[in-house]
Structures are given as C-alpha cells and as structure tokens.
C-alpha cells in the first residue's frame, strides 16, 4: 500500500462495497468543510480568472501567516509541487529526514539525486545541499521546533542550499508552522489544503518561498491549473477562521478518545497528530488483515513491521465499531 486512501486493494481482497468500509488508512479529516449547496454556472463554465486566483492567494497568505516578502502560489495538490521541486532547486546532494512520506524520496531519486535518509535531522551531512523534512512528520508526528529549523536553514543557506519543509499536517498543531518566522533563509514550505479541511478530492495545495522560486514554479504550472470549484471553496474555507478553530478543538478531543480506545485494546500509541495515531504491535500486519476482514482499513508500513496507523473514525458510532472489531481481532491474534 503505497499511500492510504485507496480502497481498491481492500475491496479486491476482502470484498464489500466502498460504502461498507471504514477507511482509517489516511490522515484526512473525516469532517469536511461544508460545501456550497450548488456552484454557480460561472464556476463550472468560465475559465478561472485572475481575481479569483488573487483572492485565494490572499486568503491562504492570511490563514498560513505567510510574510509579505515571500512568494506564495497555489497548485492542484501538493503532490505536483513536490514532484517539480527538483527542477527548481540547486544541484547537489539531498538528505531526507526519515522515515516519512515516501513520495519525497521517490521524486528526488527519479531526478538522479540518490537522497540520503537521516535518522536525525540534527546530524546534517557536510555536503547536503537540499534537506527535506515533514513537520509534523508523517507517520510518527515528530515535531521539530522553529528555532532548530531556522538554524538548519541558515547552515544550508551558507552553502547555497535549501531547507524544504512539508507542513501537510501543520494546521492541526498550533504553533508548528515555520512560515511566520522565515526571514532571508533559503526555505521552501509546502502546505496541503485537503487534509485539514477534509477535501482531498478538491486537489489544492500551496508553496511558499523566495519570489524567484515561486515565480519559476508558477511558470511550470502555467495558466488555469486550478479549477473554479477549487478556487471558490478554497477561498471560502481559508477565510473561515471560526470553523478552523472549532474544528481544531474537535479533532484534539476525538483523537484523545481514539488513543484511549486503542490503548484499552493493548495497542501502544507512541506517535501521531490530531488526524492520525501511530501504534505499535508485534503482529501489526496480522491486526491489519483481521480488521480488513471486518471491513476496516488501516495503514501499515513495510519498513516498520510493528507499526500500524489509524486515522480518526469520525464520530462515536464509528469509534464503537472500531472498538468492537479490535476486541475480536486481538482475540484472534
């Protein structure tokens, strides 16, 4: 399972229809931002205009506290942004804080960089030009403080290198973002819209960094890379601070309930964010399959056979379903 969120394999192996499954394999908010009852015809029929794009960028700049001296662009998801980064950043060795989201290593490997995987971000290779980390990290939720990130960035800047920070889950960890603190360091930050707002299918993401970098990225993306609905919904959601604050509190509460449930069934929760919990179990793959036979899909990792990750079930009824399935599965194991 390369990424979570695709139930095709689960259905092929264990049966059922999509509606039957409780998908806990992602870190996507199960409570999506409320969509408009209907979109205007113009949203669907007209090419996205400059004003709508500018409104989205202004809303994102405010929501993410992006300093005015930094450039900020939007794209159809952060996946395309991270895949284009190797063509924009300097040549030279790449180091990635690992284990983490697997696509980062793949795109730099595809570029011929042979990235080094770092078990500790504090031990930078002396020749590293590009250092990449996910903060808070996926899947363990490890968080590197802003002061340390800026020190790393200054070291790289002195070499003519860059620090790339993927803040896909920073929305749910107040104070985690590096964006408000960036001055003249060589830093590029990725922000994902779909995870926190629960609208991954909308495909919307952002990149912030020096104007030179964002201008080059915008040129690669070319015109009309975002759909009308993405512009409209993205702008509205990013402006809705009240919804964001209330949702952050709700997710924290529900993650506490999920953590307690997992612990009661013998799982050791040792990492995560308010959108996912990472637990340890000797036979994680056995638990994964036992839950799948009950049409509950979790996330396991080939590089860590004792790890299993659970996204938020989304409500008391789904949490109870998971609890009952865990009781049966653990008895089987």
């Amino acid at each position: 399972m390369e990424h979570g969120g695709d139930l095709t394999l689960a259905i092929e192996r264990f049966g059922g229809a999509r509606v039957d499954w409780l998908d806990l394999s992602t870190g996507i908010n199960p409570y999506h931002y409320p969509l408009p009852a209907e979109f205007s015809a113009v949203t669907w029929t007209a090419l996205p205009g400059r004003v709508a794009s500018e409104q989205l960028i202004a809303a994102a700049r405010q929501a993410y506290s992006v300093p005015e001296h930094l450039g900020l662009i939007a794209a159809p998801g952060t996946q395309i942004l991270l895949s284009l980064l190797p063509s924009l950043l300097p040549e030279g060795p790449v180091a990635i804080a690992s284990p983490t989201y697997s696509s980062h290593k793949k795109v730099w490997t595809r570029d011929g960089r042979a990235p080094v995987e770092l078990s500790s971000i504090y031990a930078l290779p002396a020749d590293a030009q590009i250092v990449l980390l996910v903060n808070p990290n996926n899947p363990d939720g490890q968080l590197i403080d802003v002061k340390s990130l800026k020190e790393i960035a200054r070291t790289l800047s002195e070499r003519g290198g860059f620090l790339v920070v993927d803040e896909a889950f920073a929305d749910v960890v107040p104070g985690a973002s590096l964006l408000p603190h960036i001055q003249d360091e060589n830093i590029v930050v990725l922000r994902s819209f779909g995870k926190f707002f629960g609208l991954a299918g909308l495909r919307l993401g952002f990149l912030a960094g020096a104007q030179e970098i964002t201008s080059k990225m915008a040129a690669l993306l070319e015109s009309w890379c975002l759909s009308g609905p993405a512009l409209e919904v993205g702008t509205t959601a990013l402006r809705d601070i009240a919804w964001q604050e209330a949702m952050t509190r709700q997710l924290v509460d529900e993650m506490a309930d999920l953590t307690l449930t997992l612990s009661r069934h013998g799982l050791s929760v040792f990492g995560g964010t308010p959108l996912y919990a990472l637990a340890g179990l000797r036979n994680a793959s056995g638990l994964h399959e036992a839950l799948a036979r009950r049409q509950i899909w979790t996330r396991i990792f080939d590089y860590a056979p004792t790890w299993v990750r659970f996204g938020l079930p989304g409500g008391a009824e789904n949490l109870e379903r998971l609890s009952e399935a865990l009781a049966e599965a653990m008895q089987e194991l």
Side-chain angles (χ1 to χ4, degrees), residues 81-215:
L81 292 170
L82 66 90
S83 70
L84 292 172
L85 275 177
S87 65
L88 298 181
L89 297 183
E91 294 293 331
V94 177
I96 299 176
S98 299
T100 194
Y101 182 58
S102 61
S103 286
H104 286 298
K105 181 181 178 181
K106 289 181 179 179
V107 300
W108 290 97
T109 300
R110 189 169 63 226
D111 192 59
R113 303 282 191 112
V116 174
E117 296 186 67
L118 302 177
S119 59
S120 172
I121 196 66
Y122 301 105
L124 294 183
D127 62 344
Q129 285 294 103
I130 310 296
V131 173
L132 189 146
L133 60 91
V134 180
N135 199 50
N137 191 40
N138 175 18
D140 60 14
Q142 180 180 1
L143 185 66
I144 308 298
D145 65 278
V146 167
K147 181 180 178 181
S148 296
L149 291 175
K150 285 178 69 71
E151 289 176 356
I152 293 167
R154 281 192 288 268
T155 298
L156 293 168
S157 297
E158 290 170 359
R159 304 175 186 174
F162 278 79
L163 174 65
V164 179
V165 184
D166 181 348
E167 295 187 345
F169 294 98
D171 302 74
V172 295
V173 184
S177 179
L178 180 59
L179 275 171
H181 309 281
I182 297 174
Q183 295 171 312
D184 59 352
E185 303 92 351
N186 290 348
I187 298 173
V188 173
V189 176
L190 297 163
R191 290 298 292 248
S192 172
F193 174 86
K195 293 177 178 64
F196 174 59
F197 289 97
L199 296 171
L202 195 70
R203 307 311 302 138
L204 180 60
F206 298 89
L207 180 144
Q211 296 281 351
E212 179 185 5
I213 298 295
T214 57
S215 295

Side-chain angles (χ1 to χ4, degrees), residues 8 12 63 81 171 185 204 213 225 257 259 272 309 313:
T8 304
E12 287 177 353
L81 292 170
D171 302 74
E185 303 92 351
L204 180 60
I213 298 295
C225 68
D257 293 338
T259 300
R309 196 187 69 186

Side-chain angles (χ1 to χ4, degrees), residues 255 258-263 266-272 276-280 310:
M255 179 50 65
L258 174 60
T259 300
L260 181 59
T261 297
L262 296 175
S263 298
L267 287 145
S268 175
V269 178
F270 63 92
Y276 55 84
L278 185 64
F310 296 81

